[in-house]
């Protein structure tokens, strides 16, 4: 059980017991709570902080925690029915803006205690560089001017670091608050509301949600084992009039495909002929399982066709919301302007901490540990699938990323299966949210990154097999 879920369990237990205490009465000491629940002092502190945030307890440094003197009044019930009209009444000629975050939330939701997370989108805490992050944050806090306003585009040293891999200078780099923020900014900058945006099919649900929230129409372009199909990409540009194509050339989410060498130039040539941008989401750059990786697509682009999205969140921690947009030409000014309007800039302490992290000797060691940890977990999941569910096991294992894309038998009810799996104690992601239009077949996406290791993965696959068996009965 992770610290957050442990703290939640302690807080829930104390919440049920508060009526035993009079208003203003002192609760048991932190040491007593540590002994009682068998958790760390940090977990107890987080539980009490959660109750304090709800107004149920008051903490006094050096004195302890007390039940709040007054009960929280019941919230007033108000009639908000009018909002249903206000949120949907639009100009009939305007593009509808649908904000559907369900596909993203399914990967962000923390499973209940005891449930094995095959649906996560981030590294397990055991793979995150928690000590290195803490040390980097502490060093950053001591940097001169750490709390001063940063340059709008980001710290020059950090922009240089991001730009080096893409072969550009800092002028072509804009620091963002993570990859999702970069993607949202790019789509708003490059496509007008109501227009089409081409996306791989299947694709990352967060891209679909961002596009629809901006009033764009996602148009699918099928993907095979070698990435997006260039022939269908050219057809889609011609039929839709789109001026943007969103893709993930490296370890694509969810298929794990890597864009084949011979297709890289074709994709760029097709987009350039259409007068369109290619938004390259390079989220998995530091999630390889060992071996060499192809260079970012932007390195093959001398014409400013590619707008590159980089992120450090996936290989570190969900809370290190640092990414970058990299582009050549006047489009950078558009990207910069939209970010300024939305959020001004990325907080300087976070940028300083990122510089401390990637400049430390611990950084390359961490990346090697991530590669080894993901490779071990990938092999365990593939092996367990071949043992328990051989008809679902992939023929080849991906060389990077953190998930497998499983083709289910025709006629399988994805929703029923995911619900049955959850009842069996394993959380998986249904394939339907990854398709911008009708899905050609039922799928599951299962992740191995947010697990404790091979033993947990083997048990999770066993539970998934039980769920499938129960569904067939």
């Amino acid at each position: 059980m992770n610290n957050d879920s442990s703290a939640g369990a302690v807080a829930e237990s104390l919440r049920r017991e508060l009526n035993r205490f009079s208003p203003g009465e002192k609760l048991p000491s932190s040491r007593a709570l540590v002994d009682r629940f068998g958790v760390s002092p940090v977990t107890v502190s987080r539980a009490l902080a959660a109750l304090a945030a709800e107004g149920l307890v008051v903490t006094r440094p050096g004195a302890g925690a007390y039940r709040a003197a007054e009960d929280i009044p019941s919230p007033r019930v108000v009639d908000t029915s009018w909002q249903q009209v206000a949120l949907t009444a639009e100009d009939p000629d305007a593009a509808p803006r649908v904000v559907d975050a369900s596909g993203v939330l399914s990967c962000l939701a923390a499973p209940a205690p005891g449930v094995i997370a095959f649906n996560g989108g981030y590294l397990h805490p055991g793979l995150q560089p928690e000590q290195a992050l803490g040390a980097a944050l502490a060093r950053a806090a001591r940097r001169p001017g750490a709390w001063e306003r940063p340059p709008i585009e980001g710290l020059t040293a950090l922009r240089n670091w991001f730009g080096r891999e893409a072969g550009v200078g800092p002028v072509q780099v804009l620091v963002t608050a993570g990859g999702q923020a970069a993607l949202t900014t790019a789509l708003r900058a490059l496509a007008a509301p109501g227009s089409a945006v081409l996306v791989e099919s299947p694709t990352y649900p967060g891209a679909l949600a961002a596009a629809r929230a901006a009033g764009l129409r996602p148009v699918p372009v099928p993907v095979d084992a070698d990435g997006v199909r260039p022939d269908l990409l050219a057809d889609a540009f011609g039929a839709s009039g789109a001026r943007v194509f969103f893709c993930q050339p490296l370890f694509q989410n969810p298929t794990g495909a890597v864009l084949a060498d011979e297709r890289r130039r074709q994709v760029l040539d097709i987009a350039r002929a259409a007068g369109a941008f290619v938004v390259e989401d390079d989220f998995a750059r530091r999630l390889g399982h060992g071996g060499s990786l192809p260079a970012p697509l932007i390195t093959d682009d001398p014409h400013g066709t590619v707008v590159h999205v980089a992120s450090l969140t996936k290989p570190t921690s969900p809370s290190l919301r640092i990414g970058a947009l990299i582009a050549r030409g006047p489009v950078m000014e558009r990207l910069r302007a939209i970010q300024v309007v939305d959020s001004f800039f990325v907080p300087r302490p976070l940028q300083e901490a990122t510089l401390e992290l990637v400049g430390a000797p611990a950084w390359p060691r961490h990346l090697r540990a991530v590669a080894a940890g993901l490779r071990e977990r990938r092999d365990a999941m593939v092996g367990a699938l071949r043992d328990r569910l051989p008809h679902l096991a992939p023929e080849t294992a991906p060389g990077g990323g953190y998930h497998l894309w499983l083709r289910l038998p025709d006629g399988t009810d994805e929703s029923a299966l995911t619900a049955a799996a959850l009842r069996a104690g394993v959380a998986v992601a249904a394939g339907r949210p990854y398709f911008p239009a009708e899905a050609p077949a039922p799928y599951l996406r299962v992740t191995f990154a947010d697990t404790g290791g091979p033993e947990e993965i083997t048990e999770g696959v066993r539970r998934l097999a039980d769920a499938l068996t129960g569904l067939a009965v």
Side-chain angles (χ1 to χ4, degrees):
M1 184 182 296
N2 62 40
N3 289 336
D4 287 339
S5 60
S6 298
V10 172
E12 179 58 30
S13 181
L14 293 176
R15 193 180 291 111
R16 291 195 299 265
E17 298 174 9
L18 279 178
N19 286 335
R20 300 180 186 176
F21 300 88
S22 302
E25 184 179 352
K26 186 176 181 180
L27 274 61
S29 68
S30 293
R31 178 173 295 180
L33 294 175
V34 166
D35 292 340
R36 174 186 166 187
F37 291 103
V39 296
S40 70
V42 172
T43 298
V44 169
S45 177
R46 288 178 175 175
L48 292 175
L51 295 178
E54 297 173 24
L56 298 177
V57 303
V58 176
T59 56
R60 299 172 186 167
Y66 301 77
R67 180 180 170 183
E70 295 182 0
D71 291 333
I72 300 175
S74 299
R76 198 176 104 189
V77 177
V78 296
D79 181 6
T80 58
S81 302
W82 65 272
Q83 293 185 3
Q84 297 181 46
V85 177
L87 289 171
T88 56
E90 298 177 335
D91 181 344
D93 296 327
R97 299 202 175 199
V98 180
V99 184
D100 180 5
S102 57
V104 180
L105 289 173
S106 66
C107 298
L108 294 176
V115 175
I116 295 174
F118 281 179
N119 64 328
Y122 298 102
L123 296 179
H124 185 271
L127 288 175
Q128 294 176 22
E130 291 187 353
Q131 289 188 341
L133 282 167
L137 196 60
R139 293 194 301 270
R142 296 192 295 268
R143 284 189 167 199
W147 287 94
E148 293 179 3
R149 187 181 71 188
I152 296 296
E153 301 83 359
L155 299 178
T156 301
L158 187 55
R159 295 164 70 200
N160 261 322
W161 187 86
F162 274 114
R164 196 174 305 126
E165 197 163 47
V168 302
V171 175
Q172 284 80 42
V173 180
L174 175 68
V175 176
T176 68
Q180 184 69 22
L183 170 59
T184 300
T185 295
L187 291 177
R188 288 183 56 201
L190 302 176
S195 63
V197 56
L198 305 187
V199 298
E200 295 169 316
S201 182
T203 191
Y204 166 51
L208 298 177
R212 289 170 176 147
L216 307 178
R217 295 183 293 107
V219 175
V221 184
V223 170
D224 62 21
D226 291 325
V228 68
R229 289 181 50 182
D231 56 333
L232 298 180
L233 178 64
D235 291 344
F237 270 125
S240 68
R243 291 294 179 267
V244 179
F245 169 48
F246 169 79
C247 64
Q248 295 175 321
L250 184 64
F251 308 130
Q252 196 253 5
N253 182 9
T255 67
V258 176
L259 186 64
D261 287 344
E262 64 272 14
R263 293 188 180 184
R264 290 167 63 95
R265 173 52 55 192
Q266 289 179 279
V267 167
L268 293 179
D269 288 346
I270 290 168
R272 190 177 177 217
F277 289 97
V278 173
V279 177
E280 177 189 20
D281 182 6
D282 202 30
F283 77 101
R285 175 60 47 184
R286 294 167 184 85
L287 297 177
H289 301 166
S292 60
L293 301 179
L297 198 59
I298 193 172
T299 61
D300 293 338
D301 168 40
H303 304 292
T305 300
V306 176
V307 174
H308 180 86
V309 175
S311 174
L312 280 175
T313 303
K314 293 293 187 186
T316 56
S317 162
S319 291
L320 189 67
R321 309 301 302 173
I322 288 287
L325 279 166
I326 302 175
R328 298 181 177 91
V331 67
M332 178 51 73
E333 181 57 31
R334 176 80 63 87
L335 296 168
R336 175 181 178 274
I338 287 180
Q339 176 163 293
V340 168
V341 169
D342 282 351
S343 57
F344 288 0
F345 47 77
V346 176
R348 183 166 190 148
L350 198 56
Q351 295 190 55
E352 298 279 11
T354 302
L355 280 171
E356 289 285 355
L357 175 68
V358 300
W363 177 243
R365 292 198 299 269
H366 166 67
L367 293 181
R368 289 193 294 270
V370 168
L374 290 178
R375 183 171 60 249
E376 178 187 47
R377 287 161 172 78
R378 175 204 66 191
D379 292 345
M381 181 168 278
V382 172
L385 286 169
R386 288 174 178 168
D387 288 343
R388 289 273 186 174
L389 297 166
H391 61 293
L392 298 187
E395 294 182 6
T396 58
Y402 53 86
H403 56 266
L404 301 178
W405 184 237
L406 308 182
R407 169 69 155 83
L408 298 172
D410 289 341
T412 303
D413 186 329
E414 292 178 359
S415 298
L417 176 55
T418 55
L422 194 58
R423 290 193 297 271
V426 59
V428 295
R432 181 64 190 86
Y434 293 82
F435 290 95
E438 290 78 9
Y443 287 88
L444 279 186
R445 195 195 75 156
V446 291
T447 64
F448 45 81
D450 193 13
T451 63
E455 185 176 338
E456 185 177 13
I457 288 172
T458 300
E459 173 61 18
V461 172
R462 183 195 68 76
R463 296 179 186 184
L464 178 59
D466 289 347
L468 270 166
T469 300
L471 199 66
V473 173

